[in-house]
Amino acid sequence: MEELSFIVGVIGNVISVLVFLSPVGTFWRIVKNGSTEDFESLPYVCTLLSSSLWTYYGITKPGAYLVATVNGFGILAEAVYVVLFLIYAPRKMRVKTGILVGILNVGFLAAAILVTHLALEGDTRIDAIGFMCAGLNIIMYGSPLAAMVPNGIGFLLGTAQLILYAIFRKARPSNDTISQGLLEQGFQKERRGASSESVVGGKSIPGFSVFLFNFCSSS
């Protein structure tokens, strides 16, 4: 059983080394062109942090030397990638990469080592480091969902807006309809006013005044 575990561990390490070396083509292109173009440094900074924590875990846990060795190689590979970013990236990207390295690879890593080393002991320390490593891996592998979730919500909200527009588009009166109604009301008022007036001696006289005028004339 131990031999099987060792063989599986070696196979896993070989695969991990290949994964660490997979960006070589990208960085060869960066060095050749003298620019990082549109590449981002965050994945390499986070992978450097993950490799550092896993190396710390492998050193702390007895018998986990395979974990420590392969992730030690990962530290070297990712450190080279980050340095190349700092050399060939534009000034704004260099500043951003430097800040990320300072926060994650220096600040967070130092805090994690100090807290687990000084406040925890034995299996509790090993478990805490392992949970941190596993949590970081989950965040890294799940990070593409950060782009998918907002887009999915935006799609649902946009669809709802289109449905509401289709439902209430015909129910809402247009400005032309409102204006036409106001004009018709105005014409009706003018017609009623005109019908209640008469012309006497070239002047417009209201209907009641006409009645009085006719009554006086007849008498």
Side-chain angles (χ1 to χ4, degrees):
M1 188 65 181
E2 292 182 358
E3 293 181 357
L4 179 61
S5 299
F6 178 78
I7 294 173
V8 173
V10 171
I11 295 173
N13 279 12
V14 171
I15 296 174
S16 297
V17 169
L18 294 176
V19 171
F20 287 132
L21 294 177
S22 60
V24 169
T26 299
F27 281 90
W28 175 254
R29 173 180 170 182
I30 290 174
V31 173
K32 183 179 179 180
N33 295 334
S35 172
T36 56
E37 302 175 2
D38 294 329
F39 295 109
E40 289 287 337
S41 61
L42 181 60
Y44 308 103
V45 173
C46 291
T47 306
L48 178 58
L49 174 61
S50 176
S51 298
S52 301
L53 287 174
W54 278 114
T55 302
Y56 177 48
Y57 175 82
I59 294 173
T60 304
K61 183 177 181 178
Y65 55 90
L66 287 177
V67 176
T69 53
V70 69
N71 284 282
F73 176 81
I75 291 175
L76 295 177
E78 300 301 326
V80 171
Y81 301 151
V82 172
V83 169
L84 290 176
F85 248 97
L86 292 173
I87 294 174
Y88 293 102
R91 183 178 181 278
K92 185 177 180 180
M93 179 60 71
R94 287 201 302 268
V95 173
K96 178 182 177 181
T97 303
I99 293 174
L100 289 174
V101 170
I103 293 175
L104 297 177
N105 301 123
V106 178
F108 182 82
L109 180 62
I113 293 175
L114 288 176
V115 170
T116 55
H117 187 73
L118 297 177
L120 303 175
E121 295 180 355
D123 292 339
T124 304
R125 177 190 301 169
I126 296 173
D127 292 340
I129 301 171
F131 281 125
M132 280 193 297
C133 295
L136 181 60
N137 279 6
I138 292 173
I139 293 173
M140 291 174 59
Y141 289 123
S143 59
L145 293 176
M148 297 173 60
V149 171
N151 290 335
I153 295 174
F155 170 76
L156 294 177
L157 293 178
T159 303
Q161 291 179 14
L162 292 175
I163 293 174
L164 292 175
Y165 176 77
I167 293 174
F168 296 104
R169 178 174 60 88
K170 296 182 179 180
R172 180 179 179 181
S174 63
N175 293 331
D176 295 338
T177 305
I178 296 173
S179 300
Q180 185 177 0
L182 293 175
L183 288 174
E184 291 179 355
Q185 291 179 5
F187 289 146
Q188 290 176 2
K189 289 181 180 178
E190 289 181 0
R191 292 178 60 184
R192 287 197 299 268
S195 63
S196 64
E197 295 180 352
S198 298
V199 178
V200 179
K203 295 183 179 180
S204 177
I205 302 175
F208 182 72
S209 299
V210 172
F211 170 76
L212 292 178
F213 177 79
N214 293 331
F215 178 78
C216 294
S217 299
S218 63
S219 60

